[in-house]
Amino acid sequence: MAAPCSFEPQGEGRVAAIVDARSFRLTDGREIKLAGIEPAASDAISRSAALSALILGRDVTLRGADDAPDRYGRQPAFVFLDGADNSVQAALLSQGEALVSAEIADKDCAASLLAAEAAARAAKRGIWAGSAVIKNAESPGDILAGNGRFMLVEGRVLSVRQAGATTYLNFGRNWTRDFAVTISRRVLPSLEAAGVAPKSLENRRIRIRGFIETRTGPRIDLVRAGQVELLGN
């Protein structure tokens, strides 16, 4: 059985330099971005050091759905050290050096990375040694301070409301100030097919991951079922 996130091979090379906490340069000049993870906002220098310790000077294989570069010219890929079954992404997550992104369409890959993140969280490794990684939905000011950044937010969904083509998961009673999750009508069918019906989330505690936007209060746009974790009642 193939290891999680073992997509089509997209090349290989030797790592010549670390650019930042989730990107590096190969000896042939290609710049690679680690797909499927987001860097933790805190202490970017030590996060880069963690990637350097894993891969600098090593031979790697790149895997992905395609090798099209992003808008910065970086090739997004899942990266595997020679002979390793698990990705570099999974290793960083296990060390508590990154967060699982909201952009992984492959369910098995996403599940394996979330499990690595959860193990680091349970063991309080890396970023999880403190309590500031997951934001409280009841503290919108704290979330607002991270405008434009990737965040994890936890709280109870007080109400689910539709306005025009958008469904809102409201975590507070003041819609102009409190945190909310927005869902476009066009993504509702795929969410419901994956077992995430917005109305079923009412009064549930959930953890949501994504980039913080500010339209009145802080918002995260929900586009994939994998962004939501049910936390029980």
Side-chain angles (χ1 to χ4, degrees), residues 137-215:
E138 294 175 17
S139 302
D142 200 19
I143 302 168
L144 208 53
N147 184 31
R149 295 213 309 264
F150 187 85
M151 277 190 176
L152 272 59
V153 180
E154 265 181 28
R156 186 178 298 279
V157 180
L158 293 186
S159 65
V160 179
R161 298 279 184 268
Q162 189 170 336
T166 304
T167 299
Y168 292 85
L169 308 183
N170 296 308
F171 290 76
R173 303 195 185 282
N174 186 332
W175 65 271
T176 62
R177 185 192 68 210
D178 291 329
F179 175 69
V181 171
T182 55
I183 306 169
S184 165
R185 181 185 289 156
R186 64 186 165 74
V187 303
L188 279 174
S190 63
L191 290 177
E192 289 173 348
V196 180
K199 201 65 185 170
S200 72
L201 299 176
E202 200 161 51
N203 295 316
R204 297 293 304 269
R205 278 191 64 78
I206 67 171
R207 181 183 302 129
I208 179 90
R209 65 184 65 228
F211 286 92
I212 301 298
E213 301 173 17
T214 52
R215 317 168 202 159

Side-chain angles (χ1 to χ4, degrees), residues 14-34 62 67-77 79:
R14 177 160 291 188
V15 179
I18 304 302
V19 177
D20 58 35
R22 65 161 176 183
S23 57
F24 59 91
R25 194 171 294 110
L26 297 174
T27 52
D28 63 11
R30 280 178 295 166
E31 194 166 316
I32 311 300
K33 171 189 156 187
L34 293 170
L62 312 175
D67 60 358
D70 67 9
R71 59 180 174 162
Y72 302 108
R74 302 172 301 185
Q75 179 183 339
V79 178

Side-chain angles (χ1 to χ4, degrees), residues 43-119:
D43 199 2
I45 292 174
S46 73
R47 309 280 88 95
S48 299
L51 179 60
S52 180
L54 276 173
I55 66 170
L56 187 60
R58 307 280 300 275
D59 292 321
V60 295
T61 299
L62 312 175
R63 293 181 174 274
D66 65 63
D67 60 358
D70 67 9
R71 59 180 174 162
Y72 302 108
R74 302 172 301 185
Q75 179 183 339
F78 283 90
V79 178
F80 291 79
L81 291 165
D82 273 8
D85 289 332
N86 286 320
S87 64
V88 168
Q89 283 90 327
L92 288 170
L93 291 163
S94 296
Q95 294 173 13
E97 298 292 348
L99 299 169
V100 179
S101 83
E103 299 176 349
I104 309 167
D106 185 275
K107 283 174 65 176
D108 291 339
C109 177
S112 71
L113 296 183
L114 285 167
E117 181 190 276

